[in-house]
Amino acid sequence: MASFNTLDDLDAEQRVLVRLDLNSPVEDGEVQDNRRFERHASTVSELVDHNHRVVLMAHQGRPGDDDFVSLEQHADILAGHVGTDVQFVADTYGDEAMAAIDALEPGEILLLENVRMVDDELPEESPVEKSETEFVQTLAPKFDAYVNDAYSAAHRRHASLVGFPLVLPAYAGRVMETEYEANSSIATREFDGQVTMVVGGTKATDVIGVMDAIGEKVDQFLVGGIAGELFLRAEGYPVGTDVGDMDLFDEQWENNQDVIEDVLDRRADQVRLPVDLAYENDDGDRAEVSVERIDEKETGYLDVGTETVEGYAPTVHESEAVFVKGALGMFEDERFADGTVGVLEAIAETDCFSVVGGGDTSRAIEMYGLDEDDFSHVSIAGGAYIRALTGEPLPVVEVLEQQAKEN
Ligand SMILES: Nc1ncnc2c1ncn2[C@@H]1O[C@H](COP(=O)(O)OP(=O)(O)O)[C@@H](O)[C@H]1O
Ligand SMILES: O=C(OP(=O)(O)O)[C@H](O)COP(=O)(O)O
């Protein structure tokens, strides 16, 4: 259990400054609705119900990137989820923002402009240095309290995340609370039975790091995606290499070969690898091949095969807890969704404690008609989830805990 203050500790009718993480995919300039809006909307609604004046801060993209855009569209999308108007001001702590904050009535919501447009926001510095910036020093006096709900950005030491809690009474929002409890549980909870981790996706470096860090806590790793092929390569199979213009394997192999070999060496009986793989045949259909029958990699393998799923599912059924990081195949293409969906269905069928993380992987749940309620927790965090799994501290959580202890 984290020992930070939560909304349960916050008195009603305050002027509250809230940090959300509404960072979203942007396609052709259009911000895409996603789980982050829906989740944060419940925190915002709760604050509105308690008659607070609610001022929201968030970021979008990184300076220089195409998705580094204004939060104007975010205000409309969030309003749709909250069911109440969300005002927007194209300013963060200048005169325009200050006037909009002053004009706010109890129960009203105002979203400030993208905090990454403020020079003081981004350089990673200590919370004390961040709290001394002009941004924090100018904005904070307008408020009685600060709420941080941005769990998925909790690994960053930015002004809006770690500066304000040093100068205002600080509370964790509901998303922060829920994400923290669920995602940290692999490190902090003792489960009675078997703990299983499903790892896949394209960012093999991340999941291999998790396997290395958390091997003591996990009984079985069910591996697929790019990591699956890299582990097969380490076992001597002629896969896990780039073919054509693919660049998913060779660089990650060079960066992780030692760790993979070490994990296999120390944890051979914990690591389960695909026994068959799926690819697109000349007719454009899904075809499968046993890994034993591959002589040379000539095509991209886009999913684990049927026999692999049939082998993984019983392990899931026997588990007390299952954590997922990364998809077992390229599930966005229906032909290559069997591995990911098969394992998610197996998890949904059981009443084990389950966490599904990773922005891309969790999209498979709605894409294939699975019910989010059949999982204990579907995380909206990527990098922060990885850190929670490996037990690495999150600066935002540390600051919230520190403030709770001192005040
Ligand atoms: N064999 C594969 N070849 C290509 N892409 C794959 C393969 N297996 C999984 N993927 C892709 O991995 C993506 C998810 O991986 P990743 O971005 O690392 O995870 P997340 O964002 O969920 O943490 C999915 O979009 C899926 O298409
Ligand atoms: O989307 C985010 O992280 P994620 O891609 O790890 O889920 C957060 O908003 C953090 O964004 P950043 O990685 O640009 O600091």
Side-chain angles (χ1 to χ4, degrees):
M1 282 283 282
S3 43
F4 38 51
N5 292 320
T6 70
L7 298 190
D8 298 331
D9 305 299
L10 177 65
D11 291 337
E13 296 186 35
Q14 310 243 346
R15 297 171 304 160
V16 183
L17 180 64
V18 188
R19 177 58 156 98
L20 308 178
D21 185 359
L22 300 176
N23 195 29
S24 301
V26 178
E27 284 170 24
D28 299 325
E30 266 197 40
V31 176
Q32 307 294 303
D33 195 357
N34 63 86
R35 270 199 190 84
R36 287 187 177 166
F37 286 95
E38 186 192 319
R39 295 280 175 85
H40 285 302
S42 71
T43 300
V44 173
S45 297
E46 184 176 341
L47 293 167
V48 166
D49 288 347
H50 287 84
N51 243 4
H52 297 295
R53 291 172 162 88
V54 182
V55 176
L56 308 174
M57 295 187 291
H59 73 275
Q60 172 61 53
R62 298 174 183 179
D65 289 354
D66 288 347
D67 65 349
F68 181 59
V69 297
S70 163
L71 298 188
E72 191 171 2
Q73 296 176 61
H74 299 67
D76 287 339
I77 300 172
L78 185 64
H81 289 281
V82 180
T84 307
D85 184 37
V86 175
Q87 301 171 40
F88 171 74
V89 59
D91 183 20
T92 313
Y93 71 101
D95 293 345
E96 226 189 307
M98 294 305 191
I101 294 166
D102 287 340
L104 212 60
E105 297 290 335
E108 287 187 344
I109 311 163
L110 169 70
L111 175 62
L112 303 176
E113 185 54 289
N114 188 342
V115 284
R116 291 191 178 174
M117 292 181 180
V118 171
D119 289 343
D120 287 337
E121 171 68 2
L122 277 177
E124 293 255 350
E125 288 168 324
S126 71
V128 171
E129 283 167 302
K130 285 302 181 193
S131 73
E132 289 165 354
T133 57
E134 183 185 75
F135 171 31
V136 173
Q137 290 293 322
T138 310
L139 199 53
K142 292 276 175 200
F143 297 94
D144 306 308
Y146 167 83
V147 173
N148 197 325
D149 212 26
Y151 177 86
S152 43
H155 49 313
R156 307 291 183 217
R157 279 189 191 82
H158 298 159
S160 63
L161 293 159
V162 298
F164 289 99
L166 265 61
V167 296
L168 284 168
Y171 304 83
R174 297 301 183 202
V175 171
M176 175 69 71
E177 233 185 306
T178 317
E179 288 274 348
Y180 178 82
E181 293 304 336
N183 300 346
S184 310
S185 58
I186 199 163
T188 57
R189 254 175 82 166
E190 287 295 331
F191 294 99
D192 286 341
Q194 175 167 292
V195 177
T196 297
M197 175 118 212
V198 180
V199 290
T202 52
K203 297 167 214 143
T205 300
D206 283 351
V207 300
I208 291 162
V210 170
M211 292 170 76
D212 186 36
I214 209 156
E216 297 294 320
K217 291 275 186 173
V218 174
D219 298 295
Q220 291 283 296
F221 289 102
L222 307 179
V223 192
I226 304 310
E229 269 194 65
L230 293 179
F231 272 87
L232 286 169
R233 178 172 173 172
E235 294 271 45
Y237 292 95
V239 295
T241 49
D242 289 325
V243 288
D245 56 7
M246 192 182 258
D247 63 355
L248 285 168
F249 294 96
D250 291 329
E251 196 183 328
Q252 300 206 75
W253 170 256
E254 273 156 41
N255 293 338
N256 296 292
Q257 181 182 357
D258 292 348
V259 184
I260 293 173
E261 285 169 353
D262 185 51
V263 168
L264 277 175
D265 202 32
R266 285 185 296 128
R267 308 199 179 281
D269 53 350
Q270 285 166 264
V271 179
R272 303 267 300 281
L273 300 181
V275 292
D276 53 355
L277 295 168
Y279 61 98
E280 181 182 14
N281 67 15
D282 292 342
D283 298 328
D285 296 325
R286 177 188 172 105
E288 299 190 354
V289 60
S290 153
V291 294
E292 298 293 347
R293 299 190 53 182
I294 300 171
D295 296 325
E296 191 186 345
K297 184 169 175 182
E298 290 167 345
T299 180
Y301 295 108
L302 299 173
D303 195 9
V304 298
T306 309
E307 237 183 275
T308 303
V309 182
E310 284 171 4
Y312 286 178
T315 304
V316 167
H317 287 141
E318 287 156 16
S319 298
E320 182 68 24
V322 183
F323 292 81
V324 180
K325 171 66 182 92
L328 295 186
M330 206 178 74
F331 68 84
E332 292 86 347
D333 182 330
E334 218 174 303
R335 295 169 301 169
F336 302 108
D338 295 8
T340 307
V341 175
V343 168
L344 288 174
E345 280 174 346
I347 298 170
E349 281 157 17
T350 68
D351 55 6
C352 66
F353 177 81
S354 58
V355 181
V356 180
D360 288 316
T361 306
S362 53
R363 271 193 301 128
I365 292 176
E366 61 261 23
M367 261 186 89
Y368 292 97
L370 292 154
D371 186 348
E372 196 170 315
D373 291 343
D374 287 334
F375 303 89
S376 310
H377 181 65
V378 177
S379 177
I380 54 171
Y385 177 54
I386 287 282
R387 280 168 180 76
L389 292 175
T390 55
E392 209 181 302
L394 295 167
V396 166
V397 172
E398 287 184 316
V399 172
L400 290 174
E401 291 188 328
Q402 186 73 25
Q403 292 312 105
K405 212 186 299 168
E406 287 174 12
N407 297 302

